[in-house]
Each structure stands twice: as structure tokens, then as C-alpha cells.
Amino acid sequence: GESVGLHLPTLSVQEGDNSIINCAYSNSASDYFIWYKQESGKGPQFIIDIRSNMDKRQGQRVTVLLNKTVKHLSLQIAATQPGDSAVYFCADRGSGGSNYKLTFGKGTLLTVNP
Amino acid sequence: EPEVTQTPSHQVTQMGQEVILRCVPISNHLYFYWYRQILGQKVEFLVSFYNNEISEKSEIFDDQFSVERPDGSNFTLKIRSTKLEDSAMYFCASRMSTGTNQPQHFGDGTRLSIL
């Protein structure tokens, strides 16, 4: 079936280190991807997105890389801070066009140790 | 920064009762969505809504579910006769109308507990 999933359920890093969270998707028609951060008791918070015609996109301390050949997405967080501790989801809209639905992965729990 | 707001934050309901979950999307958004997240599981799509009608719905969104935009600001999800398995976090999301590559923005959810 069509799904978006994450390789690792948990990731623990030291404060100040860089974090890399990975995601595999199976729908080769997917043309838009979003990373969300979910803190405890909160809803998914938009971090960064990328279209399928791009390989890389940078934001503030975050970079998303897209490898369409192997259908792999990653989120890199530079100089990870305790406030970055959360569950991170990648989400895929398939080729849904303007009124798309999102398919979420299971999430990776990032823990930042001081 | 504008945000999606949801009420109540926690709803406890007896099985078989009706429940209405409320959302106020971001004001200039025109696409609206409901998702749910069962504890420990991933976020699942329920329904999308645009131009006062349902655009798409999932298998979860059966005849017991309905959505409504009763006025220019609210977007509601109704479950007519709740079941134990309806217990979950329910998230509302909205999106801008301009451009196809715009992210959905989520509220903080309503935790629905069915007893």
C-alpha cells in the first residue's frame, strides 16, 4: 500500500550535536512533503516542506533532503537544543493536488540530553 | 502568528452519546481538515472540506461522522453515536487557498475519551 514511514522510532542526541531524522516513502507519485514537530499535548507544528522538484531546502537550523531515487527524506537539525525534544513526523500528500490529504509516518521521538 | 484553535481540549462522553468537536481555522484559509491520532499511533486523515462540501473522506469517516461549517469562522466534527474505539486525539487543520504547495496548519487537538 501507499505509506510514509520512519526508520527509527527513537533518537537520543547531546545538546549542541546535529540530529538527522530519516523517513522512507513508498508512493513514487508523491510530489510534496512536510516535516512536522509534535510536542507533548500539542498538535503537529509545521517545520519545513519540500517539493519533489527540489533536492534540498534549508530553514532556520533545519534542512530537509529529498532523494527521489530511493524515496527517502531526511530532516537535519543543527545544534540541537533541549527545546527540540519532540516527536517528528514526515508527511506526504501523494499527488493530491490543491486539496490534498496528508499521509503521516509513525514518528521519531527525539530526545536531547543536556 | 495566526493559529488554528480547537475546543474543548478534553471531552469525556458516554458511549452512544453525540459529541461535537469545534475548530476555528486560520481566518484566510479555505481548505479544512480533520485528522485523528489514537494514542501511540500515527496521525490519520478523516475528512477534507472545501467550498462548503466534503472533498474527500477516509474509511474511518462513516455515517456516524459529519462535518459542518455553520458560519464564517467555525468548523465542526460531529460523531452521532460514539463508540469506545472513537477515543483518540482529534486534530483540525486548515490551509491557505493560494497555491498547491502550502502546508496544512494544525490545532492542538481535542482529546476525546469515550466511557
Side-chain angles (χ1 to χ4, degrees), chain B residues 25-93:
Chain B
I26 296 173
S27 62
N28 63 341
H29 288 188
L30 294 179
Y31 295 91
F32 312 114
Y33 309 85
W34 284 101
Y35 292 79
R36 80 171 186 187
Q37 184 179 33
I38 294 172
L39 185 63
Q41 299 186 23
K42 59 184 180 181
V43 178
E44 301 174 287
F45 169 78
L46 291 178
V47 65
S48 59
F49 189 88
Y50 171 71
N51 199 25
N52 287 319
E53 61 183 18
I54 291 173
S55 305
E56 185 175 357
K57 57 185 179 180
S58 71
E59 292 179 352
I60 303 168
F61 196 89
D62 61 22
D63 291 345
Q64 295 301 311
F65 289 83
S66 62
V67 290
E68 190 178 30
R69 187 157 165 82
D71 53 43
S73 61
N74 292 283
F75 180 51
T76 62
L77 174 69
K78 180 193 290 186
I79 309 175
R80 291 186 185 81
S81 179
T82 50
K83 303 184 287 290
L84 293 176
E85 54 264 39
D86 294 329
S87 295
M89 284 290 293
Y90 287 80
F91 293 107
C92 173

Side-chain angles (χ1 to χ4, degrees), chain A residues 38-109:
Chain A
Q38 186 176 27
E39 297 175 283
S40 180
K42 300 276 192 177
Q45 177 187 359
F46 169 77
I47 302 173
I48 192 167
D49 57 359
I50 188 167
R51 299 192 300 269
S52 60
N53 62 353
M54 303 170 70
D55 297 324
K56 178 180 179 179
R57 192 171 188 208
Q58 288 184 294
Q60 186 176 10
R61 281 201 308 118
V62 294
T63 300
V64 54
L65 299 177
L66 175 62
N67 185 331
K68 296 180 288 294
T69 302
V70 296
K71 291 185 282 189
H72 184 267
L73 196 69
S74 68
L75 177 71
Q76 300 178 1
I77 305 173
T80 315
Q81 302 168 0
D84 295 327
S85 294
V87 177
Y88 289 81
F89 294 95
C90 66
D92 163 20
R93 78 158 180 201
S95 55
S98 60
N99 195 11
Y100 61 88
K101 66 179 183 182
L102 287 172
T103 299
F104 282 80
K106 292 183 181 179
T108 292
L109 173 62

